[in-house]
Amino acid sequence: MTTPVLDVRGLAFAYPDGHQALFGVDLHVHRGERVALLGPNGAGKTTLVLHLNGIHLAGAGSVTVSGLPVTKANIKEIRRRVGIVFQDPDDQLFMGTVREDVAFGPANLGLRGSALDAKVTEALAKVGMEDFADRPPHHLSFGQRRRVAVATVLAMDPEILVLDEPSSNLDPASRRELADILRDLDVTVLMVTHDLPYALELCDRSVILDGGIVAAEGRTVDVLSNADLMCAHRLELPFGFDPVAAAATL
Amino acid sequence: MPAHLKVVALVGFMLVVVATPREWFAAYAFFLAVLVTVGAVARVRPGWVLKRMVVETPFVVFALLMPFIAQGPRVDVLGLSLSESGLLSAWGLLAKGTLGVIAGLLLAATTTPQELVRGLERLRMPEQLVQIMAFMVRYLEVVTDEMRRMAVARASRGFEARNPLHWPVLARSVGALFIRSFERGERVHLAMVSRGYTGRMPR
């Protein structure tokens, strides 16, 4: 099999205060896959995500992105390869205009002039926000800001897009629009979410993280329809949602 | 007009105004005429400027007091005995202050905060200061929004700040707001670092 885009092996990590969050996580994501990372609050999902681009460095075990290990020396290339979209777009968008914000990442990679402009326009077009390039981010709606946040990361040509709760706080229409955008992107995706129907809609495979380890993984429809497994990890489907019936309509 | 030229013009104008002796009344009329012309060319509504001139009020109060409290020879105006030097000082303070406020407001009316920050950057203001100002501009609305939501949440639980006994609650709210802003600062930094930020803005 080809080198996985994301290869996490035996990853363990404790915070400086001694609180251990990860106890040996194994996770592989292959090119072109969309994988959902599920799990209750406090399962270590965010901690895991912050290992993927070297904000945290592995206490034990390893994280490899397309064959390149996440270490201090590789940090710049790793952060280009792994694009993280954080949950609150206000944390991610901090420049005066949308254009500058999308340009921030590629400019940090050394892109300048017309190549930079082209990259910005391309990234904004992918999320359908090219008409808003000169607006200040805080004048956009929440859904628009979320889409721009995705563009800020796409502009860096990542090999894997990591989304932290992409559907949170979106109204149903914005939620569906974002799903359409994500489905059309030609990029590998790891999506952290509590929104299980969203995971089913977008991701073939799901991984359950609980208690700092990967507790289960499999086809999303199988995971969601396994009532015992779901209950054991504090996962619950929305009222009346039938994953098997929903999967049949995909 | 580029923002950095406007800033230079404002500072230059103010230095000239402050350096002009207060007895040169004609010069002040000329300064005011300059500002009115600039305002007219830039199509700034006079009402917009007048409303915002309220910030000058404390200086006006102080200026009005000066003729009463200053020493020296006195003159009679409308039956009040006023100090001559006090009157002159009051005129100087009022004239210079008002010109400064109008000039500043004209800059504010014709320049967005983003342009202003970029102008200061072009004037070689230290990069860290420019970055701090840019972040302030960006997050002012987010933080005031958060503050408003906290106030609504307080009021929804029947809280009204009517007397000093309620101040501890307000103090705790400010504390909570500070911590939330601080944590947001950390998250913003994290998001920046994730996109390759190393301490300098790319240019």
Side-chain angles (χ1 to χ4, degrees), chain A residues 108-145:
Chain A
N108 278 325
L109 299 175
L111 226 56
R112 294 291 181 276
S114 58
L116 182 60
D117 292 342
K119 187 55 67 188
V120 170
T121 313
E122 182 196 329
L124 283 172
K126 280 182 186 164
V127 299
M129 289 295 291
E130 59 272 53
D131 294 339
F132 297 84
D134 294 309
R135 298 270 289 276
H138 50 274
H139 289 174
L140 304 180
S141 76
F142 193 87
Q144 291 172 329
R145 271 180 283 166

PDB file of all heavy atoms in Angstrom, chain A residues 108-145:
ATOM      1  N   ASN A 108       3.631  33.328   4.432  1.00  0.00           N
ATOM      2  CA  ASN A 108       4.592  32.766   5.383  1.00  0.00           C
ATOM      3  C   ASN A 108       5.450  31.696   4.727  1.00  0.00           C
ATOM      4  O   ASN A 108       6.553  31.416   5.166  1.00  0.00           O
ATOM      5  CB  ASN A 108       3.866  32.164   6.588  1.00  0.00           C
ATOM      6  CG  ASN A 108       3.492  33.220   7.613  1.00  0.00           C
ATOM      7  OD1 ASN A 108       4.235  34.177   7.805  1.00  0.00           O
ATOM      8  ND2 ASN A 108       2.349  33.063   8.243  1.00  0.00           N
ATOM      9  N   LEU A 109       4.911  31.069   3.666  1.00  0.00           N
ATOM     10  CA  LEU A 109       5.676  30.046   2.949  1.00  0.00           C
ATOM     11  C   LEU A 109       6.587  30.676   1.908  1.00  0.00           C
ATOM     12  O   LEU A 109       7.300  29.982   1.198  1.00  0.00           O
ATOM     13  CB  LEU A 109       4.732  29.066   2.256  1.00  0.00           C
ATOM     14  CG  LEU A 109       3.796  28.290   3.176  1.00  0.00           C
ATOM     15  CD1 LEU A 109       2.829  27.456   2.361  1.00  0.00           C
ATOM     16  CD2 LEU A 109       4.606  27.404   4.114  1.00  0.00           C
ATOM     17  N   GLY A 110       6.523  32.002   1.771  1.00  0.00           N
ATOM     18  CA  GLY A 110       7.449  32.694   0.871  1.00  0.00           C
ATOM     19  C   GLY A 110       6.841  33.109  -0.454  1.00  0.00           C
ATOM     20  O   GLY A 110       7.538  33.622  -1.318  1.00  0.00           O
ATOM     21  N   LEU A 111       5.540  32.889  -0.636  1.00  0.00           N
ATOM     22  CA  LEU A 111       4.900  33.281  -1.897  1.00  0.00           C
ATOM     23  C   LEU A 111       4.712  34.802  -1.932  1.00  0.00           C
ATOM     24  O   LEU A 111       4.347  35.405  -0.931  1.00  0.00           O
ATOM     25  CB  LEU A 111       3.543  32.590  -2.003  1.00  0.00           C
ATOM     26  CG  LEU A 111       3.189  31.916  -3.328  1.00  0.00           C
ATOM     27  CD1 LEU A 111       4.259  30.905  -3.686  1.00  0.00           C
ATOM     28  CD2 LEU A 111       1.843  31.227  -3.225  1.00  0.00           C
ATOM     29  N   ARG A 112       4.942  35.424  -3.087  1.00  0.00           N
ATOM     30  CA  ARG A 112       4.803  36.879  -3.209  1.00  0.00           C
ATOM     31  C   ARG A 112       4.151  37.236  -4.544  1.00  0.00           C
ATOM     32  O   ARG A 112       4.098  36.421  -5.456  1.00  0.00           O
ATOM     33  CB  ARG A 112       6.183  37.561  -3.166  1.00  0.00           C
ATOM     34  CG  ARG A 112       6.914  37.442  -1.846  1.00  0.00           C
ATOM     35  CD  ARG A 112       6.232  38.256  -0.754  1.00  0.00           C
ATOM     36  NE  ARG A 112       6.946  38.171   0.510  1.00  0.00           N
ATOM     37  CZ  ARG A 112       6.796  37.178   1.381  1.00  0.00           C
ATOM     38  NH1 ARG A 112       5.967  36.191   1.124  1.00  0.00           N
ATOM     39  NH2 ARG A 112       7.487  37.169   2.505  1.00  0.00           N
ATOM     40  N   GLY A 113       3.707  38.487  -4.643  1.00  0.00           N
ATOM     41  CA  GLY A 113       3.274  39.075  -5.908  1.00  0.00           C
ATOM     42  C   GLY A 113       2.111  38.359  -6.567  1.00  0.00           C
ATOM     43  O   GLY A 113       1.154  37.974  -5.904  1.00  0.00           O
ATOM     44  N   SER A 114       2.193  38.161  -7.878  1.00  0.00           N
ATOM     45  CA  SER A 114       1.058  37.644  -8.620  1.00  0.00           C
ATOM     46  C   SER A 114       0.781  36.183  -8.281  1.00  0.00           C
ATOM     47  O   SER A 114      -0.365  35.730  -8.323  1.00  0.00           O
ATOM     48  CB  SER A 114       1.284  37.814 -10.122  1.00  0.00           C
ATOM     49  OG  SER A 114       2.472  37.155 -10.499  1.00  0.00           O
ATOM     50  N   ALA A 115       1.850  35.429  -7.950  1.00  0.00           N
ATOM     51  CA  ALA A 115       1.640  34.029  -7.571  1.00  0.00           C
ATOM     52  C   ALA A 115       0.783  33.967  -6.300  1.00  0.00           C
ATOM     53  O   ALA A 115      -0.117  33.132  -6.176  1.00  0.00           O
ATOM     54  CB  ALA A 115       2.982  33.345  -7.332  1.00  0.00           C
ATOM     55  N   LEU A 116       1.051  34.904  -5.387  1.00  0.00           N
ATOM     56  CA  LEU A 116       0.285  34.953  -4.136  1.00  0.00           C
ATOM     57  C   LEU A 116      -1.170  35.336  -4.430  1.00  0.00           C
ATOM     58  O   LEU A 116      -2.104  34.695  -3.934  1.00  0.00           O
ATOM     59  CB  LEU A 116       0.926  35.959  -3.180  1.00  0.00           C
ATOM     60  CG  LEU A 116       0.287  36.111  -1.793  1.00  0.00           C
ATOM     61  CD1 LEU A 116       0.306  34.799  -1.046  1.00  0.00           C
ATOM     62  CD2 LEU A 116       1.019  37.182  -0.986  1.00  0.00           C
ATOM     63  N   ASP A 117      -1.362  36.359  -5.265  1.00  0.00           N
ATOM     64  CA  ASP A 117      -2.721  36.789  -5.620  1.00  0.00           C
ATOM     65  C   ASP A 117      -3.503  35.647  -6.246  1.00  0.00           C
ATOM     66  O   ASP A 117      -4.676  35.421  -5.926  1.00  0.00           O
ATOM     67  CB  ASP A 117      -2.668  37.964  -6.613  1.00  0.00           C
ATOM     68  CG  ASP A 117      -2.107  39.222  -5.958  1.00  0.00           C
ATOM     69  OD1 ASP A 117      -2.100  39.266  -4.714  1.00  0.00           O
ATOM     70  OD2 ASP A 117      -1.694  40.125  -6.690  1.00  0.00           O
ATOM     71  N   ALA A 118      -2.844  34.934  -7.150  1.00  0.00           N
ATOM     72  CA  ALA A 118      -3.517  33.834  -7.837  1.00  0.00           C
ATOM     73  C   ALA A 118      -3.929  32.759  -6.835  1.00  0.00           C
ATOM     74  O   ALA A 118      -5.039  32.214  -6.894  1.00  0.00           O
ATOM     75  CB  ALA A 118      -2.589  33.239  -8.898  1.00  0.00           C
ATOM     76  N   LYS A 119      -3.042  32.482  -5.884  1.00  0.00           N
ATOM     77  CA  LYS A 119      -3.311  31.455  -4.873  1.00  0.00           C
ATOM     78  C   LYS A 119      -4.508  31.852  -4.013  1.00  0.00           C
ATOM     79  O   LYS A 119      -5.386  31.038  -3.710  1.00  0.00           O
ATOM     80  CB  LYS A 119      -2.037  31.296  -4.027  1.00  0.00           C
ATOM     81  CG  LYS A 119      -2.017  30.189  -3.031  1.00  0.00           C
ATOM     82  CD  LYS A 119      -2.303  28.820  -3.574  1.00  0.00           C
ATOM     83  CE  LYS A 119      -1.264  28.259  -4.513  1.00  0.00           C
ATOM     84  NZ  LYS A 119      -1.744  26.997  -5.138  1.00  0.00           N
ATOM     85  N   VAL A 120      -4.548  33.135  -3.654  1.00  0.00           N
ATOM     86  CA  VAL A 120      -5.646  33.643  -2.821  1.00  0.00           C
ATOM     87  C   VAL A 120      -6.975  33.524  -3.577  1.00  0.00           C
ATOM     88  O   VAL A 120      -7.970  33.030  -3.043  1.00  0.00           O
ATOM     89  CB  VAL A 120      -5.389  35.117  -2.410  1.00  0.00           C
ATOM     90  CG1 VAL A 120      -6.626  35.724  -1.767  1.00  0.00           C
ATOM     91  CG2 VAL A 120      -4.205  35.195  -1.454  1.00  0.00           C
ATOM     92  N   THR A 121      -6.974  33.974  -4.822  1.00  0.00           N
ATOM     93  CA  THR A 121      -8.198  33.928  -5.616  1.00  0.00           C
ATOM     94  C   THR A 121      -8.671  32.487  -5.784  1.00  0.00           C
ATOM     95  O   THR A 121      -9.864  32.193  -5.651  1.00  0.00           O
ATOM     96  CB  THR A 121      -7.932  34.544  -7.011  1.00  0.00           C
ATOM     97  OG1 THR A 121      -7.233  35.767  -6.833  1.00  0.00           O
ATOM     98  CG2 THR A 121      -9.225  34.802  -7.743  1.00  0.00           C
ATOM     99  N   GLU A 122      -7.729  31.596  -6.033  1.00  0.00           N
ATOM    100  CA  GLU A 122      -8.067  30.189  -6.234  1.00  0.00           C
ATOM    101  C   GLU A 122      -8.692  29.601  -4.963  1.00  0.00           C
ATOM    102  O   GLU A 122      -9.737  28.938  -5.022  1.00  0.00           O
ATOM    103  CB  GLU A 122      -6.782  29.434  -6.601  1.00  0.00           C
ATOM    104  CG  GLU A 122      -6.972  27.957  -6.879  1.00  0.00           C
ATOM    105  CD  GLU A 122      -5.638  27.219  -6.855  1.00  0.00           C
ATOM    106  OE1 GLU A 122      -4.606  27.834  -7.204  1.00  0.00           O
ATOM    107  OE2 GLU A 122      -5.636  26.034  -6.471  1.00  0.00           O
ATOM    108  N   ALA A 123      -8.062  29.891  -3.824  1.00  0.00           N
ATOM    109  CA  ALA A 123      -8.572  29.340  -2.563  1.00  0.00           C
ATOM    110  C   ALA A 123      -9.962  29.883  -2.254  1.00  0.00           C
ATOM    111  O   ALA A 123     -10.852  29.143  -1.816  1.00  0.00           O
ATOM    112  CB  ALA A 123      -7.606  29.643  -1.419  1.00  0.00           C
ATOM    113  N   LEU A 124     -10.168  31.174  -2.487  1.00  0.00           N
ATOM    114  CA  LEU A 124     -11.481  31.768  -2.209  1.00  0.00           C
ATOM    115  C   LEU A 124     -12.536  31.227  -3.168  1.00  0.00           C
ATOM    116  O   LEU A 124     -13.691  31.018  -2.783  1.00  0.00           O
ATOM    117  CB  LEU A 124     -11.410  33.299  -2.308  1.00  0.00           C
ATOM    118  CG  LEU A 124     -10.771  33.980  -1.104  1.00  0.00           C
ATOM    119  CD1 LEU A 124     -10.569  35.457  -1.362  1.00  0.00           C
ATOM    120  CD2 LEU A 124     -11.621  33.776   0.145  1.00  0.00           C
ATOM    121  N   ALA A 125     -12.137  30.969  -4.415  1.00  0.00           N
ATOM    122  CA  ALA A 125     -13.083  30.427  -5.382  1.00  0.00           C
ATOM    123  C   ALA A 125     -13.536  29.032  -4.957  1.00  0.00           C
ATOM    124  O   ALA A 125     -14.702  28.668  -5.123  1.00  0.00           O
ATOM    125  CB  ALA A 125     -12.435  30.378  -6.766  1.00  0.00           C
ATOM    126  N   LYS A 126     -12.614  28.256  -4.359  1.00  0.00           N
ATOM    127  CA  LYS A 126     -12.963  26.898  -3.941  1.00  0.00           C
ATOM    128  C   LYS A 126     -14.066  26.888  -2.889  1.00  0.00           C
ATOM    129  O   LYS A 126     -14.810  25.913  -2.780  1.00  0.00           O
ATOM    130  CB  LYS A 126     -11.726  26.181  -3.383  1.00  0.00           C
ATOM    131  CG  LYS A 126     -10.806  25.636  -4.457  1.00  0.00           C
ATOM    132  CD  LYS A 126      -9.644  24.905  -3.820  1.00  0.00           C
ATOM    133  CE  LYS A 126      -8.635  24.481  -4.863  1.00  0.00           C
ATOM    134  NZ  LYS A 126      -7.347  24.128  -4.240  1.00  0.00           N
ATOM    135  N   VAL A 127     -14.141  27.950  -2.092  1.00  0.00           N
ATOM    136  CA  VAL A 127     -15.188  27.994  -1.066  1.00  0.00           C
ATOM    137  C   VAL A 127     -16.294  28.978  -1.438  1.00  0.00           C
ATOM    138  O   VAL A 127     -17.137  29.321  -0.608  1.00  0.00           O
ATOM    139  CB  VAL A 127     -14.618  28.341   0.328  1.00  0.00           C
ATOM    140  CG1 VAL A 127     -13.624  27.293   0.778  1.00  0.00           C
ATOM    141  CG2 VAL A 127     -13.984  29.721   0.328  1.00  0.00           C
ATOM    142  N   GLY A 128     -16.255  29.470  -2.687  1.00  0.00           N
ATOM    143  CA  GLY A 128     -17.314  30.354  -3.162  1.00  0.00           C
ATOM    144  C   GLY A 128     -17.345  31.700  -2.473  1.00  0.00           C
ATOM    145  O   GLY A 128     -18.406  32.285  -2.269  1.00  0.00           O
ATOM    146  N   MET A 129     -16.158  32.224  -2.088  1.00  0.00           N
ATOM    147  CA  MET A 129     -16.121  33.499  -1.354  1.00  0.00           C
ATOM    148  C   MET A 129     -15.310  34.546  -2.108  1.00  0.00           C
ATOM    149  O   MET A 129     -14.890  35.542  -1.497  1.00  0.00           O
ATOM    150  CB  MET A 129     -15.524  33.278   0.034  1.00  0.00           C
ATOM    151  CG  MET A 129     -16.418  32.524   0.995  1.00  0.00           C
ATOM    152  SD  MET A 129     -17.923  33.412   1.396  1.00  0.00           S
ATOM    153  CE  MET A 129     -17.256  34.760   2.357  1.00  0.00           C
ATOM    154  N   GLU A 130     -15.105  34.355  -3.437  1.00  0.00           N
ATOM    155  CA  GLU A 130     -14.213  35.280  -4.151  1.00  0.00           C
ATOM    156  C   GLU A 130     -14.749  36.707  -4.213  1.00  0.00           C
ATOM    157  O   GLU A 130     -13.995  37.650  -4.351  1.00  0.00           O
ATOM    158  CB  GLU A 130     -13.881  34.763  -5.556  1.00  0.00           C
ATOM    159  CG  GLU A 130     -15.074  34.534  -6.479  1.00  0.00           C
ATOM    160  CD  GLU A 130     -15.680  33.137  -6.334  1.00  0.00           C
ATOM    161  OE1 GLU A 130     -16.002  32.753  -5.188  1.00  0.00           O
ATOM    162  OE2 GLU A 130     -15.849  32.450  -7.345  1.00  0.00           O
ATOM    163  N   ASP A 131     -16.074  36.865  -4.056  1.00  0.00           N
ATOM    164  CA  ASP A 131     -16.646  38.216  -4.108  1.00  0.00           C
ATOM    165  C   ASP A 131     -16.449  38.994  -2.804  1.00  0.00           C
ATOM    166  O   ASP A 131     -16.793  40.157  -2.708  1.00  0.00           O
ATOM    167  CB  ASP A 131     -18.149  38.154  -4.401  1.00  0.00           C
ATOM    168  CG  ASP A 131     -18.411  37.608  -5.794  1.00  0.00           C
ATOM    169  OD1 ASP A 131     -17.478  37.660  -6.626  1.00  0.00           O
ATOM    170  OD2 ASP A 131     -19.525  37.122  -6.039  1.00  0.00           O
ATOM    171  N   PHE A 132     -15.919  38.327  -1.790  1.00  0.00           N
ATOM    172  CA  PHE A 132     -15.813  38.964  -0.476  1.00  0.00           C
ATOM    173  C   PHE A 132     -14.370  39.282  -0.109  1.00  0.00           C
ATOM    174  O   PHE A 132     -14.081  39.609   1.030  1.00  0.00           O
ATOM    175  CB  PHE A 132     -16.424  38.062   0.604  1.00  0.00           C
ATOM    176  CG  PHE A 132     -17.898  37.829   0.406  1.00  0.00           C
ATOM    177  CD1 PHE A 132     -18.350  36.838  -0.445  1.00  0.00           C
ATOM    178  CD2 PHE A 132     -18.822  38.628   1.060  1.00  0.00           C
ATOM    179  CE1 PHE A 132     -19.709  36.638  -0.638  1.00  0.00           C
ATOM    180  CE2 PHE A 132     -20.171  38.427   0.873  1.00  0.00           C
ATOM    181  CZ  PHE A 132     -20.621  37.431   0.016  1.00  0.00           C
ATOM    182  N   ALA A 133     -13.475  39.205  -1.095  1.00  0.00           N
ATOM    183  CA  ALA A 133     -12.037  39.299  -0.809  1.00  0.00           C
ATOM    184  C   ALA A 133     -11.654  40.579  -0.073  1.00  0.00           C
ATOM    185  O   ALA A 133     -10.761  40.560   0.765  1.00  0.00           O
ATOM    186  CB  ALA A 133     -11.236  39.183  -2.107  1.00  0.00           C
ATOM    187  N   ASP A 134     -12.322  41.680  -0.362  1.00  0.00           N
ATOM    188  CA  ASP A 134     -11.889  42.948   0.232  1.00  0.00           C
ATOM    189  C   ASP A 134     -12.716  43.364   1.438  1.00  0.00           C
ATOM    190  O   ASP A 134     -12.589  44.482   1.933  1.00  0.00           O
ATOM    191  CB  ASP A 134     -11.903  44.042  -0.835  1.00  0.00           C
ATOM    192  CG  ASP A 134     -10.862  43.751  -1.905  1.00  0.00           C
ATOM    193  OD1 ASP A 134      -9.704  43.501  -1.523  1.00  0.00           O
ATOM    194  OD2 ASP A 134     -11.212  43.714  -3.097  1.00  0.00           O
ATOM    195  N   ARG A 135     -13.562  42.472   1.928  1.00  0.00           N
ATOM    196  CA  ARG A 135     -14.370  42.796   3.108  1.00  0.00           C
ATOM    197  C   ARG A 135     -13.594  42.436   4.376  1.00  0.00           C
ATOM    198  O   ARG A 135     -12.801  41.498   4.378  1.00  0.00           O
ATOM    199  CB  ARG A 135     -15.666  41.986   3.072  1.00  0.00           C
ATOM    200  CG  ARG A 135     -16.540  42.293   1.874  1.00  0.00           C
ATOM    201  CD  ARG A 135     -17.505  43.416   2.160  1.00  0.00           C
ATOM    202  NE  ARG A 135     -18.535  42.980   3.093  1.00  0.00           N
ATOM    203  CZ  ARG A 135     -19.637  42.338   2.725  1.00  0.00           C
ATOM    204  NH1 ARG A 135     -19.861  42.068   1.461  1.00  0.00           N
ATOM    205  NH2 ARG A 135     -20.521  41.968   3.626  1.00  0.00           N
ATOM    206  N   PRO A 136     -13.823  43.193   5.466  1.00  0.00           N
ATOM    207  CA  PRO A 136     -13.225  42.764   6.738  1.00  0.00           C
ATOM    208  C   PRO A 136     -13.934  41.500   7.236  1.00  0.00           C
ATOM    209  O   PRO A 136     -15.161  41.422   7.126  1.00  0.00           O
ATOM    210  CB  PRO A 136     -13.501  43.942   7.683  1.00  0.00           C
ATOM    211  CG  PRO A 136     -14.077  45.026   6.845  1.00  0.00           C
ATOM    212  CD  PRO A 136     -14.580  44.436   5.584  1.00  0.00           C
ATOM    213  N   PRO A 137     -13.194  40.525   7.759  1.00  0.00           N
ATOM    214  CA  PRO A 137     -13.818  39.253   8.152  1.00  0.00           C
ATOM    215  C   PRO A 137     -14.967  39.424   9.142  1.00  0.00           C
ATOM    216  O   PRO A 137     -15.945  38.689   9.078  1.00  0.00           O
ATOM    217  CB  PRO A 137     -12.673  38.475   8.798  1.00  0.00           C
ATOM    218  CG  PRO A 137     -11.428  39.101   8.309  1.00  0.00           C
ATOM    219  CD  PRO A 137     -11.738  40.513   7.951  1.00  0.00           C
ATOM    220  N   HIS A 138     -14.855  40.422  10.054  1.00  0.00           N
ATOM    221  CA  HIS A 138     -15.892  40.506  11.084  1.00  0.00           C
ATOM    222  C   HIS A 138     -17.196  41.073  10.550  1.00  0.00           C
ATOM    223  O   HIS A 138     -18.168  41.148  11.291  1.00  0.00           O
ATOM    224  CB  HIS A 138     -15.392  41.281  12.301  1.00  0.00           C
ATOM    225  CG  HIS A 138     -14.774  42.597  11.976  1.00  0.00           C
ATOM    226  ND1 HIS A 138     -13.448  42.722  11.646  1.00  0.00           N
ATOM    227  CD2 HIS A 138     -15.292  43.838  11.919  1.00  0.00           C
ATOM    228  CE1 HIS A 138     -13.182  43.989  11.402  1.00  0.00           C
ATOM    229  NE2 HIS A 138     -14.281  44.691  11.554  1.00  0.00           N
ATOM    230  N   HIS A 139     -17.234  41.480   9.273  1.00  0.00           N
ATOM    231  CA  HIS A 139     -18.506  41.906   8.695  1.00  0.00           C
ATOM    232  C   HIS A 139     -19.226  40.782   7.979  1.00  0.00           C
ATOM    233  O   HIS A 139     -20.304  40.974   7.443  1.00  0.00           O
ATOM    234  CB  HIS A 139     -18.292  43.076   7.727  1.00  0.00           C
ATOM    235  CG  HIS A 139     -17.938  44.352   8.428  1.00  0.00           C
ATOM    236  ND1 HIS A 139     -17.589  45.499   7.777  1.00  0.00           N
ATOM    237  CD2 HIS A 139     -17.887  44.641   9.748  1.00  0.00           C
ATOM    238  CE1 HIS A 139     -17.335  46.447   8.656  1.00  0.00           C
ATOM    239  NE2 HIS A 139     -17.495  45.951   9.865  1.00  0.00           N
ATOM    240  N   LEU A 140     -18.620  39.588   7.959  1.00  0.00           N
ATOM    241  CA  LEU A 140     -19.255  38.456   7.281  1.00  0.00           C
ATOM    242  C   LEU A 140     -20.142  37.692   8.254  1.00  0.00           C
ATOM    243  O   LEU A 140     -19.993  37.802   9.465  1.00  0.00           O
ATOM    244  CB  LEU A 140     -18.177  37.511   6.737  1.00  0.00           C
ATOM    245  CG  LEU A 140     -17.146  38.127   5.802  1.00  0.00           C
ATOM    246  CD1 LEU A 140     -16.152  37.063   5.363  1.00  0.00           C
ATOM    247  CD2 LEU A 140     -17.814  38.749   4.597  1.00  0.00           C
ATOM    248  N   SER A 141     -21.047  36.894   7.687  1.00  0.00           N
ATOM    249  CA  SER A 141     -21.863  36.027   8.550  1.00  0.00           C
ATOM    250  C   SER A 141     -20.986  34.897   9.077  1.00  0.00           C
ATOM    251  O   SER A 141     -19.898  34.638   8.566  1.00  0.00           O
ATOM    252  CB  SER A 141     -23.028  35.454   7.757  1.00  0.00           C
ATOM    253  OG  SER A 141     -22.561  34.420   6.910  1.00  0.00           O
ATOM    254  N   PHE A 142     -21.490  34.208  10.091  1.00  0.00           N
ATOM    255  CA  PHE A 142     -20.688  33.143  10.710  1.00  0.00           C
ATOM    256  C   PHE A 142     -20.333  32.056   9.692  1.00  0.00           C
ATOM    257  O   PHE A 142     -19.190  31.600   9.619  1.00  0.00           O
ATOM    258  CB  PHE A 142     -21.462  32.544  11.887  1.00  0.00           C
ATOM    259  CG  PHE A 142     -20.605  31.672  12.756  1.00  0.00           C
ATOM    260  CD1 PHE A 142     -19.870  32.225  13.792  1.00  0.00           C
ATOM    261  CD2 PHE A 142     -20.522  30.314  12.521  1.00  0.00           C
ATOM    262  CE1 PHE A 142     -19.066  31.431  14.583  1.00  0.00           C
ATOM    263  CE2 PHE A 142     -19.722  29.511  13.310  1.00  0.00           C
ATOM    264  CZ  PHE A 142     -18.994  30.067  14.346  1.00  0.00           C
ATOM    265  N   GLY A 143     -21.328  31.666   8.875  1.00  0.00           N
ATOM    266  CA  GLY A 143     -21.092  30.627   7.870  1.00  0.00           C
ATOM    267  C   GLY A 143     -20.053  31.062   6.848  1.00  0.00           C
ATOM    268  O   GLY A 143     -19.203  30.266   6.432  1.00  0.00           O
ATOM    269  N   GLN A 144     -20.112  32.338   6.464  1.00  0.00           N
ATOM    270  CA  GLN A 144     -19.117  32.845   5.511  1.00  0.00           C
ATOM    271  C   GLN A 144     -17.726  32.854   6.125  1.00  0.00           C
ATOM    272  O   GLN A 144     -16.741  32.510   5.479  1.00  0.00           O
ATOM    273  CB  GLN A 144     -19.508  34.263   5.077  1.00  0.00           C
ATOM    274  CG  GLN A 144     -20.754  34.290   4.212  1.00  0.00           C
ATOM    275  CD  GLN A 144     -21.236  35.712   3.959  1.00  0.00           C
ATOM    276  OE1 GLN A 144     -21.059  36.605   4.794  1.00  0.00           O
ATOM    277  NE2 GLN A 144     -21.844  35.934   2.806  1.00  0.00           N
ATOM    278  N   ARG A 145     -17.668  33.226   7.419  1.00  0.00           N
ATOM    279  CA  ARG A 145     -16.368  33.237   8.082  1.00  0.00           C
ATOM    280  C   ARG A 145     -15.779  31.826   8.157  1.00  0.00           C
ATOM    281  O   ARG A 145     -14.585  31.627   7.980  1.00  0.00           O
ATOM    282  CB  ARG A 145     -16.493  33.818   9.494  1.00  0.00           C
ATOM    283  CG  ARG A 145     -16.306  35.322   9.503  1.00  0.00           C
ATOM    284  CD  ARG A 145     -16.436  35.862  10.893  1.00  0.00           C
ATOM    285  NE  ARG A 145     -17.829  35.931  11.290  1.00  0.00           N
ATOM    286  CZ  ARG A 145     -18.248  36.108  12.523  1.00  0.00           C
ATOM    287  NH1 ARG A 145     -17.397  36.213  13.498  1.00  0.00           N
ATOM    288  NH2 ARG A 145     -19.524  36.175  12.790  1.00  0.00           N
TER     289      ARG A 145
END
